[in-house]
Amino acid sequence: MNRRRFLKTSAAAALGLSAVGLNNRVLGANDKIRIGIIGVGIKGRLHAHHLLKIPGAQLVALADPDPAYHMNTLRDKLANGETPVKVETYTDFRKLLDRKDIDAVIIASPNHWHALHTIYALRAGKHVYVEKPASHDIWQGRQMVNLAKKSGLVVQAGLHHRSRNCWPEVMEYLKEGHLGKILCARALCYKRRKSIGRLDAPLSPPASCDYDLWLGPAQDEPIFRPQFHYDWHWVWNTGDGDLGNQGVHQLDIARWLIGQTKYPEKVVSIGGRFGYEDAGQTPNTQIIFYDYKPIPLLFEVRGLPVRPDINAMPVYKKTRIGTIIECEGGYVSEEAAYDNQGKRIHKFTGHGGENHLPRFLEAVRNNRPRAAACSIADGHLSTAMCHMGNISHRIGQTASPADIAGMIRSDTLKGDTWRRMLEHVVINGVDLNKNKATLGPVLSFDGTTEQFTGTMAEQANALLKREYRKGWNVPEII
């Protein structure tokens, strides 16, 4: 037994794992990295097609509890392509993980499965690329970080905006003081979301779906949304709203650009689901304030259009979905810098981001977890911040516009953001005196213990860890 194998076996013993489950393949420079994908929805299919273009990568297996959703179609399309690719398909992901010839997995399953799929994969000795958001609650995210550290395997979060070429240039530009003092960081998710509808009677899952396996750790609750797939994003049992779906990308970059590697001390949410009544539970309009010092961070979600007769979305400082750094002498909005009159004064390198998955594969080939483009620790922190904002919302109380304005009137930044949100919903025909927004409590957070403290801490801490369905518990990993 060589030293590497001995260390891996010892690590397995410490985790209570079987040495048989470890990945024994030592990859040479010319060896193919053999990959399986768990979850074949929109993201899973995108990753599959991306892998076909990456030298040294070989897609060999797919797993999805509803094979008729997209998996079987993708399998057949790959087999009949110009360059045929044969992949095995499984309804039960555990059969994919049992294969000793698979080196790494991409997890693109629904949010409520991300943690448990990652843990199963690590215990099977596979390197892991896990899609955003990294977890479905803060506690399970910590278990993912702990196991990744113990395993010695590569675990990369799918926050691919991290790999865009512009950000190192943006950081240097801001550091050199071209725009003066930084006033705040802002992340936006202005993404059109229409009503998902509501059924009078619960929906039956598709006959092609192994529903017990699809649910996994989630509770077996009645489903009133007409569309079974994708719209699980807007229900707390399985999703995290647009804050966790799209916004985690922009929040992650905003935090990164202002150099924050720890949790904010306080968080508060204002928002609601406006403009329609449907089966969705998550906000389609939301503001979250993260009390970082000296540079505060704000997040905004908008799902309603710029006005009812136009399906386009509003724009703030040149962007709809993106990250903005506001300074005394202007602002950076995504890939460009502007003066305070909105004139572009500098252009950074183009979009990029396509090398996020290749960087993961390179880390796998070299067996270097620290080379991951976005570590699971970073992915956990940014995802946990999304959960913090949603927790403030979920335990909040409805309040009138006057009450909300009174609460934030001493803070110009909050006040201006609230006024823009109020104007936006009024234009869309929403009367917040009748359909009131939810004002969350200002929650204090101890980043060391990952626990809320102070006002309403008991209610907030109850949402740090979900109740797991029997047989699908995320284990505690110390």
Side-chain angles (χ1 to χ4, degrees), residues 2 14 42 49 82 94 119 123-124 148 152 173 238 249 259 266 315 339 359 400 410 414 456 461 467:
N2 63 31
I42 295 173
H49 291 296
E82 191 173 315
R94 290 168 294 193
I119 290 170
R123 285 181 162 176
Y173 187 83
T238 48
H249 288 297
K266 295 181 181 180
V315 174
D339 64 20
R359 289 175 69 184
S400 69
S410 61
K414 291 178 181 177
M456 295 192 73
N461 285 330
E467 288 189 23

Side-chain angles (χ1 to χ4, degrees), residues 81-100:
E82 191 173 315
T83 303
V85 176
K86 185 179 185 300
V87 297
E88 297 294 331
T89 56
Y90 305 93
T91 301
D92 191 331
F93 72 96
R94 290 168 294 193
K95 293 182 179 180
L96 182 152
L97 294 178
D98 283 342
R99 288 180 51 166
K100 303 299 186 290

Side-chain angles (χ1 to χ4, degrees), residues 195-198 224-226 231 233-236 273 276-283:
S195 169
I196 65 171
R198 182 177 179 84
F224 287 95
R225 61 183 186 274
D231 284 347
H233 276 294
W234 323 124
V235 179
W236 294 122
R273 194 168 183 87
Y276 42 73
E277 294 183 9
D278 61 5
Q281 298 171 330
T282 63

Side-chain angles (χ1 to χ4, degrees), residues 268-274 285 392-393 395-408 418 421-422 425 430-442:
V268 60
S269 168
I270 303 171
R273 194 168 183 87
F274 304 124
T285 310
S392 176
H393 173 81
I395 64 173
Q397 300 291 326
T398 56
S400 69
D403 289 339
I404 293 173
M407 190 276 286
I408 61 177
W418 161 248
M421 174 182 150
L422 183 58
V425 296
V430 178
D431 183 351
L432 290 187
N433 285 300
K434 296 178 180 178
N435 186 12
K436 294 181 179 179
T438 296
L439 173 61
V442 178

Side-chain angles (χ1 to χ4, degrees), residues 133-283:
S135 66
H136 191 246
D137 65 51
I138 294 176
W139 181 86
Q140 64 179 218
R142 174 51 54 190
Q143 312 319 307
M144 297 166 75
V145 173
N146 290 347
L147 185 55
K149 185 176 180 180
K150 287 176 178 288
S151 73
L153 296 164
V154 178
V155 184
Q156 178 169 302
L159 294 171
H160 63 268
H161 288 250
R162 281 265 175 155
S163 292
R164 287 171 58 184
N165 301 322
C166 59
W167 302 127
E169 295 179 25
V170 170
M171 291 178 186
E172 188 64 24
Y173 187 83
L174 293 169
K175 184 179 179 181
E176 290 171 353
H178 294 282
L179 297 177
K181 180 182 177 182
I182 298 176
L183 303 177
C184 75
R186 195 183 301 266
L188 306 184
C189 177
Y190 292 0
K191 194 168 188 176
R192 184 72 174 104
R193 298 296 185 187
K194 297 181 180 180
S195 169
I196 65 171
R198 182 177 179 84
L199 300 173
D200 294 329
L203 175 73
S204 296
S208 57
C209 179
D210 183 331
Y211 187 53
D212 181 69
L213 196 56
W214 188 92
L215 276 176
Q219 296 300 311
D220 188 1
E221 297 177 349
I223 296 172
F224 287 95
R225 61 183 186 274
Q227 180 173 282
F228 178 74
H229 292 292
Y230 192 78
D231 284 347
W232 50 260
H233 276 294
W234 323 124
V235 179
W236 294 122
N237 187 39
T238 48
D240 303 278
D242 248 331
L243 178 56
N245 178 45
Q246 171 66 53
V248 64
H249 288 297
Q250 287 67 49
L251 182 61
D252 177 64
I253 297 301
R255 177 181 67 80
W256 191 31
L257 291 181
I258 61 174
Q260 288 293 351
T261 59
K262 297 181 179 180
Y263 287 99
E265 293 181 5
K266 295 181 181 180
V267 62
V268 60
S269 168
I270 303 171
R273 194 168 183 87
F274 304 124
Y276 42 73
E277 294 183 9
D278 61 5
Q281 298 171 330
T282 63

